[in-house]
């Protein structure tokens, strides 16, 4: 992918974000325990990179028309998505 993440990783991030309602810290804690082949610093860098791109692109989800989603965690369109959509891109 263009963001430097694999589609498998994006799927994991998406499930943690949408289904488990993880923010940066809880996602990091979960992935440190799951991805034991990576150091905690590498996991932190991946989570920060994901949330950087998530913050850059989240506002675009508010203008998309309802569409077909291929992930099992997303059976609905985005009309009932009440998550925050404006984020500070420069978070630590």
């Amino acid at each position: 992918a263009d963001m430097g993440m694999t589609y498998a990783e994006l799927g994991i991030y998406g499930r943690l974000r949408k289904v488990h309602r993880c923010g940066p810290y809880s996602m990091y804690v979960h992935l440190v325990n799951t991805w034991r082949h990576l150091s905690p610093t590498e996991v932190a860098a991946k989570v920060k990179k994901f949330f950087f791109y998530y913050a850059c692109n989240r506002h675009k989800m508010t203008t998309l028309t309802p569409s077909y989603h291929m992930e099992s965690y997303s059976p609905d369109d985005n009309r009932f998505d009440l998550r925050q959509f404006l984020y500070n891109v420069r978070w630590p």
Side-chain angles (χ1 to χ4, degrees):
D2 293 336
M3 297 181 295
M5 299 173 229
T6 66
Y7 286 109
E9 288 174 345
L10 289 172
I12 291 169
Y13 296 138
R15 274 189 233 70
L16 288 173
R17 182 77 187 123
K18 181 84 174 188
V19 177
H20 299 289
R21 298 173 187 235
C22 290
Y25 178 73
S26 56
M27 186 179 291
Y28 167 77
V29 170
H30 186 312
L31 291 175
V32 160
N33 294 320
T34 304
W35 291 344
R36 296 197 179 268
H37 64 283
L38 297 174
S39 72
T41 306
E42 291 172 317
V43 173
K46 285 181 174 279
V47 171
K48 284 182 181 182
K49 184 182 242 185
F50 169 75
F51 275 97
F52 171 79
Y53 285 110
Y54 182 81
C56 287
N57 295 305
R58 173 67 179 118
H59 71 282
K60 296 175 186 174
M61 292 301 295
T62 62
T63 59
L64 292 177
T65 57
S67 61
Y68 179 75
H69 296 283
M70 296 300 292
E71 288 289 340
S72 60
Y73 63 80
S74 184
D76 293 326
D77 54 38
N78 59 358
R79 288 178 291 171
F80 305 109
D81 187 359
L82 301 177
R83 294 175 294 162
Q84 177 181 345
F85 63 91
L86 293 176
Y87 290 88
N88 183 1
V89 177
R90 292 186 211 108
W91 69 282

